[in-house]
Amino acid sequence: MKIALTALLTAATLTLTGAAPAPAPAESHAPATRTVSAWLPWWNIETGYQDARAHAGQLHTVSPFWYATSSATAVDGETGAGNRRIIDGLRAEGVKVVPTVTESLDAPAMAALLGDPDRRAAHVDALVAVATSRAYDGLDLDYERMTETGDAALRERVRTGYNALTTELCARLHALAKQCVITVMPRTRDSGTAFDYAHLGSVADRLRIMGYNLHNALEAPGPLSSLAWYEEFLAYATANVPRDKLEVALPAYGWNWTVGSTARAKHVTTQEAEALRRAVGAPYTYDTASGTPHFTYTDDAGERHEVWYQDARGTAAHLAVLTRFGVRAPGLWALGFEAPDLWPALAGQ
């Protein structure tokens, strides 16, 4: 599905694209036990949806991973985007539905878009049209590719342009009684500097920090997150953003690296990692320094593998860091990835 700006500005064209004016968002009566938000991957939609319904009592928000910006005036929908059965089913459980929008444009293209007032306004119109095309409770803006540059001047153009975009978008969404959620990378001495936490925290309802990929699929093996890393980025975040606006998204997955290879590591969910560990007969090993489990094994071809992932034990250790910083809103990447014992750990937050 492609939602172009010109098509989204008239009710007639909205009808042609299958979109309809959204009813008013459901009033929230979520109990205090609803502390968790979680992403719902489009490629694992039914498993993740049933997972969300099973744990709806702990979820205040689910963000289907459904849309991606491809130009100033167009947003592309992934397979199944806008599925009303899923939207209505989640809202019937008292869970807000705030779909995620990513971007496929690189830093130069996004800097040019964000720095042009007319193109930026057109992009805000396109995003608002998505937000009103279904019974959504808001939008989650997860723009990451635009930050991938070593050029400090270009990064600054992205930062200032993104500040302008989020100011305008959040104001429009709030006028429609919809939430404005912004997802960011952890801000440390050497990462996440394209995100102006203080500004984003002032305009958004919630700032979601992706608390994972400390070691990513193209790097040397190592933990996806660590206690010291959480301490570092939470110190910065809580100094710049009100604590009640902060969320830290926790991983329910891992990476399976082939030792000595430069190939991209294989993604494994927590469930897959544990099943693999048992299948290869590797002992459970927990790294207390980082607060993450890991194991090694040799495959049938004689290649050595190193697997780092996260489980309920590690999650509990990381949640303790959140608590020390007064952040009581964990997120989850992603529904359908986790082992069942994660939910009791989240409830203990």
Side-chain angles (χ1 to χ4, degrees):
M1 168 175 74
K2 179 168 285 187
I3 305 176
L5 175 63
T6 54
L8 289 161
L9 293 180
T10 65
T13 309
L14 281 171
T15 300
L16 288 174
T17 60
E27 214 176 304
S28 174
H29 299 285
T33 53
R34 293 181 185 262
T35 58
V36 183
S37 69
W39 281 288
L40 177 58
W42 63 267
W43 59 91
N44 194 38
I45 194 75
E46 193 59 34
T47 298
Y49 172 58
Q50 296 303 331
D51 193 15
R53 293 189 66 192
H55 301 285
Q58 288 180 247
L59 289 163
H60 61 78
T61 301
V62 165
S63 290
F65 217 66
W66 271 347
Y67 299 99
T69 290
S70 59
S71 77
T73 58
V75 177
D76 307 308
E78 303 288 0
T79 301
N83 185 312
R84 285 187 169 90
R85 177 180 65 89
I86 289 172
I87 297 166
D88 294 346
L90 290 170
R91 297 181 93 230
E93 298 280 359
V95 179
K96 292 188 178 296
V97 180
V98 178
T100 295
V101 184
T102 63
E103 100 285 23
S104 58
L105 302 173
D106 61 12
M110 281 300 293
L113 186 164
L114 298 171
D116 183 322
D118 291 335
R119 293 181 68 202
R120 188 174 66 243
H123 188 46
V124 171
D125 284 343
L127 290 169
V128 170
V130 171
T132 56
S133 68
R134 296 288 190 274
Y136 293 141
D137 296 290
L139 285 183
D140 164 37
L141 211 59
D142 179 12
Y143 282 13
E144 300 177 37
R145 192 178 177 206
M146 68 179 189
T147 69
E148 296 173 1
T149 177
D151 185 327
L154 177 58
R155 185 166 56 248
E156 179 63 13
R157 288 173 58 205
V158 168
R159 187 188 70 82
T160 57
Y162 197 56
N163 281 356
L165 174 73
T166 51
T167 297
E168 295 161 12
L169 175 64
C170 290
R172 291 279 298 279
L173 291 174
H174 290 156
L176 294 166
K178 294 182 182 291
Q179 295 183 8
C180 185
V181 179
I182 300 173
T183 293
V184 296
M185 297 169 182
R187 182 73 184 263
T188 66
R189 287 164 294 185
D190 54 9
S191 71
T193 56
F195 295 111
D196 185 342
Y197 271 41
H199 171 80
L200 299 176
S202 72
V203 299
D205 296 285
R206 281 175 286 140
L207 197 69
R208 285 179 175 168
I209 303 173
M210 295 179 287
Y212 43 77
N213 267 7
L214 175 61
H215 289 80
N216 65 45
L218 295 174
E219 295 180 342
L224 279 73
S225 53
S226 76
L227 301 172
W229 187 53
Y230 271 45
E231 294 272 358
E232 181 182 2
F233 73 68
L234 280 168
Y236 182 88
T238 53
N240 288 277
V241 181
R243 285 168 171 79
D244 61 357
K245 286 190 172 186
L246 286 171
E247 293 183 353
V248 177
L250 307 168
Y253 72 97
W255 296 114
N256 181 344
W257 284 273
T258 301
V259 178
S261 172
T262 58
R264 181 182 178 86
K266 180 183 177 183
H267 179 276
V268 288
T269 68
T270 297
Q271 295 185 59
E272 290 169 341
E274 268 300 301
L276 175 62
R277 184 185 66 79
R278 291 190 296 268
V280 299
Y284 177 89
T285 306
Y286 182 79
D287 178 47
T288 55
S290 65
T292 50
H294 63 102
F295 63 93
T296 60
Y297 70 97
T298 301
D299 65 22
D300 292 340
E303 292 186 308
R304 191 75 173 160
H305 290 255
E306 192 167 339
V307 182
W308 290 79
Y309 60 110
Q310 189 55 292
D311 64 359
R313 179 182 177 182
T315 294
H318 287 77
L319 286 172
V321 182
L322 269 66
T323 299
R324 287 202 301 276
F325 280 90
V327 177
R328 303 196 62 84
L332 179 66
W333 177 264
L335 287 161
F337 290 3
E338 81 288 356
D341 60 354
L342 179 69
W343 293 98
L346 292 172
Q349 161 70 350

